[in-house]
Amino acid sequence: MNTTIETILNHRSVRSFTNQAIPEEQLHHIVKSAQAASTSSFLQAYSIIGVTDPNKKKKIAELAGNQSYVAENGYFFVFCADFARLQEAADIQTKNISTAIESTEGFMIAIIDAALAAQNAAIAAESLDLGICYIGGIRNNLKEVSSLLETPANVLPLFGMAVGYPDSYQEQKPRLPEDIVFHENRYQNDKRQTQSSLLHYDDSILEYYRTRMNTKKEMTWTGQTSSTLEKTKRLYLNEFVKQKGFLK
Amino acid sequence: MNTTIETILNHRSVRSFTNQAIPEEQLHHIVKSAQAASTSSFLQAYSIIGVTDPNKKKKIAELAGNQSYVAENGYFFVFCADFARLQEAADIQTKNISTAIESTEGFMIAIIDAALAAQNAAIAAESLDLGICYIGGIRNNLKEVSSLLETPANVLPLFGMAVGYPDSYQEQKPRLPEDIVFHENRYQNDKRQTQSSLLHYDDSILEYYRTRMNTKKEMTWTGQTSSTLEKTKRLYLNEFVKQKGFLK
């Protein structure tokens, strides 16, 4: 164990921040950390938009489902899949890369690149005693978020990240048992064992929600996740992602 | 600055490892670190397969484009998008979640979840003085890799990660200038400025490839990336991803 792994294992999403701004130098370290992540074929197929304009933050908070911590935090990032810059590179070289941009592979590359960069930013921020919360909620209204941030063709905002000085900490939610997430040499597809493991995990999540400090509830993991996924969300994305030039 | 950020900023992909195995305790820390990452709606929509079987590693190395370090390393991980476990949860709860699994949103969630977990694993490994290299090459032949690892419906291997004690280090490749990746409040879409910035970056990449220790070459960033993307790869993925139950 070391301080880096301690930082990683100590993660919990922070959903309440003080109004203290993050010093410029720390922001710079966070962005540099994001850029240091691995990137597929050196493409660096992502961009980061830092949102500080209070009106834009407020608007994004509304669009993302009225989560106050989207507007009230030390800083707000939006991570985007970005092939627009690579299109510029191809224009300079007079090459045609549209098939790659429109391919499933291209979409996967850009999402993975953006997510690796974002997680570096998250760990860097947490190592500076800042808290973070990923905001998938921007995908509730990605068309409006894209307009607000003026992202052009071939640039797709993927998720936000609120960063700041924590006003309060939540408890850590217990993760799935390691033996159900981690497989050796082959995917363990024993349905009886999986079901038994999930029911056991349900007990620990039920206990967690019953006894945690804030917003106690009666909820299991299989109950929560299947309810979330049953209420299918964001089906417009299929069309919007295509409009932005991906997954054609 | 702190040791965590130093670790992050010191990253370079390692493509040559000693044969020394990674101690069990360190592996455990790496997997636990992966699981500690944020996850969309608590879904944890990914799985990790640890590959130690020398025959399987050798086969994956061949499938991934004959990269020797895929077979010769301390440990090899494969990160997968995984909705099979969530399908089990839905079965327990007798809910229908197939629309969510098949949606663009579902695909994005699973890729992002897997990538955040993977980057935590990477940073944890590097903090233990191990080296890592992401292996997108498994997507050259994902059907065969899936068969080898016996991944069922709703599980899609995304990328591998070789981990181990570095035999040699590469130099760090300079990243894109911060001002072209990082935008404030709106996406900066000034083509002239972007082109000028890219040409300047081309100079520094040309200098890097000319003067680095190993495999010197004459190559700019716009030249390299546009050539890579012009030779469109992995177009079969669109069909295979659907076969596996995603993006329908």
Side-chain angles (χ1 to χ4, degrees):
Chain A
M1 195 79 99
N2 56 46
T3 55
T4 298
I5 293 177
E6 277 168 21
T7 295
I8 290 173
L9 296 181
N10 192 42
H11 167 73
R12 71 269 334 260
S13 294
V14 170
R15 294 191 171 85
S16 175
F17 300 96
T18 71
N19 284 325
Q20 197 180 341
I22 298 174
E24 202 61 42
E25 194 196 350
Q26 295 200 349
L27 270 180
H28 177 72
H29 283 321
I30 292 169
V31 173
K32 276 284 166 216
S33 293
Q35 288 198 262
S38 291
T39 161
S40 185
S41 301
F42 201 30
L43 296 178
Q44 307 174 74
Y46 68 95
S47 275
I48 307 170
I49 304 176
V51 188
T52 53
D53 178 334
N55 290 327
K56 287 200 180 185
K57 286 173 78 168
K58 205 175 149 208
K59 187 74 191 151
I60 294 174
E62 286 166 22
L63 293 169
N66 284 313
Q67 300 167 313
S68 62
Y69 46 94
V70 174
E72 289 152 31
N73 48 53
Y75 205 84
F76 192 74
F77 291 107
V78 175
F79 288 82
C80 307
D82 189 346
F83 269 103
R85 190 192 304 126
L86 288 154
Q87 181 62 63
E88 290 293 328
D91 288 347
I92 290 171
Q93 299 284 340
T94 58
K95 304 231 173 186
N96 184 345
I97 63 166
S98 57
T99 308
I101 294 177
E102 294 169 359
S103 69
T104 302
E105 166 72 3
F107 191 57
M108 292 171 76
I109 281 176
I111 297 175
I112 294 167
D113 270 14
L116 301 187
Q119 189 56 15
N120 262 10
I123 298 300
E126 290 179 335
S127 80
L128 295 164
D129 293 327
L130 299 165
I132 69 108
C133 187
Y134 280 94
I135 310 294
I138 67 165
R139 294 197 303 276
N140 289 348
N141 291 290
L142 210 45
K143 199 167 188 168
E144 293 79 359
V145 171
S146 294
S147 297
L148 198 68
L149 301 178
E150 301 175 42
T151 54
N154 301 324
V155 178
L156 183 76
L158 297 171
F159 49 79
M161 186 192 292
V163 184
Y165 293 92
D167 200 25
S168 67
Y169 275 104
Q170 292 175 304
E171 286 144 280
Q172 279 189 304
K173 265 192 266 193
R175 295 311 200 230
L176 282 162
E178 187 173 328
D179 65 4
I180 204 175
V181 171
F182 182 66
H183 308 250
E184 281 191 81
N185 287 312
R186 51 184 286 274
Y187 191 94
Q188 304 295 326
N189 200 20
D190 181 331
K191 282 183 196 295
R192 262 176 62 145
Q193 201 180 314
T194 301
Q195 287 219 351
S196 148
S197 189
L198 289 182
L199 292 172
H200 189 75
Y201 182 54
D202 270 354
D203 291 340
S204 65
I205 293 301
L206 189 65
E207 182 66 13
Y208 163 77
Y209 280 132
R210 272 182 184 159
T211 58
R212 70 174 180 180
M213 296 296 288
N214 301 318
T215 56
K216 293 179 179 34
K217 56 184 173 184
E218 289 286 307
M219 185 65 83
T220 62
W221 186 77
T222 61
Q224 178 179 355
T225 56
S226 58
S227 292
T228 300
L229 292 172
E230 192 185 38
K231 297 189 286 283
T232 312
K233 290 187 299 186
R234 306 171 184 163
L235 291 180
Y236 78 96
L237 272 176
N238 179 268
E239 190 53 39
F240 182 68
V241 162
K242 285 182 172 59
Q243 270 176 39
K244 278 292 186 182
F246 296 92
L247 276 188
K248 289 211 171 176
Chain B
M1 194 79 100
N2 56 46
T3 55
T4 298
I5 292 177
E6 277 168 20
T7 296
I8 289 172
L9 296 181
N10 193 42
H11 166 73
R12 72 265 339 255
S13 294
V14 169
R15 293 191 171 85
S16 175
F17 301 97
T18 71
N19 284 323
Q20 198 181 339
I22 298 173
E24 201 61 43
E25 194 197 351
Q26 295 201 349
L27 270 181
H28 177 72
H29 283 320
I30 292 169
V31 173
K32 277 285 166 215
S33 293
Q35 289 198 260
S38 290
T39 161
S40 184
S41 302
F42 200 30
L43 296 177
Q44 305 172 76
Y46 68 95
S47 275
I48 307 169
I49 304 177
V51 188
T52 53
D53 178 334
N55 290 327
K56 287 200 180 185
K57 286 173 77 169
K58 206 175 147 206
K59 186 75 188 148
I60 294 174
E62 287 165 22
L63 293 169
N66 285 312
Q67 300 167 314
S68 62
Y69 46 93
V70 175
E72 289 152 31
N73 49 53
Y75 205 84
F76 192 75
F77 291 106
V78 175
F79 289 83
C80 308
D82 189 346
F83 268 104
R85 189 191 304 125
L86 288 155
Q87 181 61 64
E88 290 292 328
D91 288 347
I92 289 171
Q93 300 283 340
T94 58
K95 304 231 174 184
N96 183 347
I97 63 166
S98 55
T99 307
I101 293 177
E102 294 168 359
S103 68
T104 302
E105 165 73 1
F107 191 57
M108 292 171 75
I109 282 177
I111 296 176
I112 294 167
D113 269 15
L116 301 186
Q119 190 55 15
N120 262 10
I123 298 300
E126 290 179 335
S127 79
L128 295 164
D129 294 326
L130 298 165
I132 68 108
C133 188
Y134 279 93
I135 309 295
I138 67 165
R139 294 197 301 277
N140 289 347
N141 290 289
L142 210 46
K143 198 167 190 169
E144 292 78 0
V145 170
S146 295
S147 298
L148 198 69
L149 300 177
E150 301 176 40
T151 54
N154 300 325
V155 178
L156 183 75
L158 297 171
F159 48 81
M161 186 192 291
V163 185
Y165 293 92
D167 199 25
S168 67
Y169 275 104
Q170 293 174 302
E171 287 145 277
Q172 279 190 304
K173 264 192 267 193
R175 296 309 201 231
L176 282 162
E178 187 173 329
D179 65 5
I180 204 175
V181 171
F182 183 65
H183 308 250
E184 282 192 79
N185 287 311
R186 53 183 285 273
Y187 191 94
Q188 303 297 325
N189 200 23
D190 181 330
K191 281 183 197 295
R192 262 175 62 143
Q193 201 180 315
T194 302
Q195 287 218 351
S196 147
S197 189
L198 289 183
L199 292 173
H200 190 72
Y201 182 53
D202 271 355
D203 291 341
S204 65
I205 293 301
L206 189 65
E207 183 65 13
Y208 163 77
Y209 280 132
R210 273 182 183 160
T211 58
R212 72 172 180 180
M213 295 296 289
N214 301 316
T215 56
K216 293 179 178 35
K217 55 186 173 183
E218 289 287 306
M219 185 67 83
T220 62
W221 187 76
T222 61
Q224 178 179 355
T225 57
S226 59
S227 293
T228 299
L229 293 171
E230 191 186 38
K231 296 189 288 283
T232 313
K233 289 188 299 185
R234 305 170 185 164
L235 290 181
Y236 77 97
L237 271 175
N238 180 268
E239 189 53 39
F240 182 69
V241 162
K242 286 183 171 59
Q243 271 177 39
K244 278 293 188 182
F246 296 92
L247 275 188
K248 289 209 172 179

